[in-house]
Amino acid sequence: MIRLKHEDSDRTLGSVTKDYAFFVVNAADSKTGKLPEGLSVADETRICVEKLEAALEKAGLTLNDLAKCNSFLAEDSYRKDFWGTYNKMLAPGPYPARCTFVTGLPSGCRVQLDAVAVNTGA
């Protein structure tokens, strides 16, 4: 198993095995752990998907390799903005299996993604 680190910190970005890759991303700065000010839920979602895409690329994968992507929101009222941005960024699909949970998140974040990708070798 290989642990991928953020380029600008010692924080773990994800873990990669021969067949699977596991990632957790949010919009907090990977160096400071703080959420940049003034972000909308759509901005946080965009940043999360961009970070996830970059992490997948480090593992030799793409968004199309996602098998599951759990979404965590700090409040249920964020669903509309989250899903609008998430679906747009992953279009045209295929979309991974997903569940959305409402829960407390670190660093004042309102959005966090927990993803599993499969290395099919294709």
Side-chain angles (χ1 to χ4, degrees):
M1 178 171 62
I2 299 169
R3 294 209 194 305
L4 299 177
K5 301 245 181 206
H6 288 275
E7 290 179 14
D8 56 357
S9 76
D10 287 336
R11 295 174 190 237
T12 300
L13 178 61
S15 299
V16 181
T17 68
K18 178 182 168 211
D19 298 317
Y20 301 99
F22 306 88
F23 302 100
V24 177
V25 295
N26 60 40
D29 181 276
S30 58
K31 192 177 225 177
T32 66
K34 296 181 190 255
L35 184 67
E37 292 184 28
L39 297 177
S40 67
V41 170
D43 292 334
E44 284 191 48
T45 305
R46 177 186 48 77
I47 291 167
C48 285
V49 174
E50 288 170 351
K51 283 184 171 183
L52 179 57
E53 192 168 25
L56 287 162
E57 187 176 310
K58 283 184 176 189
L61 303 168
T62 70
L63 291 172
N64 287 335
D65 295 307
L66 289 175
K68 185 173 186 178
C69 188
N70 289 328
S71 309
F72 298 89
L73 304 177
E75 292 184 22
D76 196 49
S77 62
Y78 300 150
R79 282 181 193 265
K80 183 178 179 183
D81 289 337
F82 168 78
W83 283 115
T85 303
Y86 177 90
N87 286 336
K88 186 177 183 179
M89 292 192 74
L90 270 71
Y95 294 97
R98 58 199 181 264
C99 292
T100 302
F101 303 93
V102 177
T103 187
L105 295 173
S107 303
C109 291
R110 292 171 288 180
V111 177
Q112 183 165 295
L113 301 178
D114 177 9
V116 178
V118 177
N119 184 0
T120 60

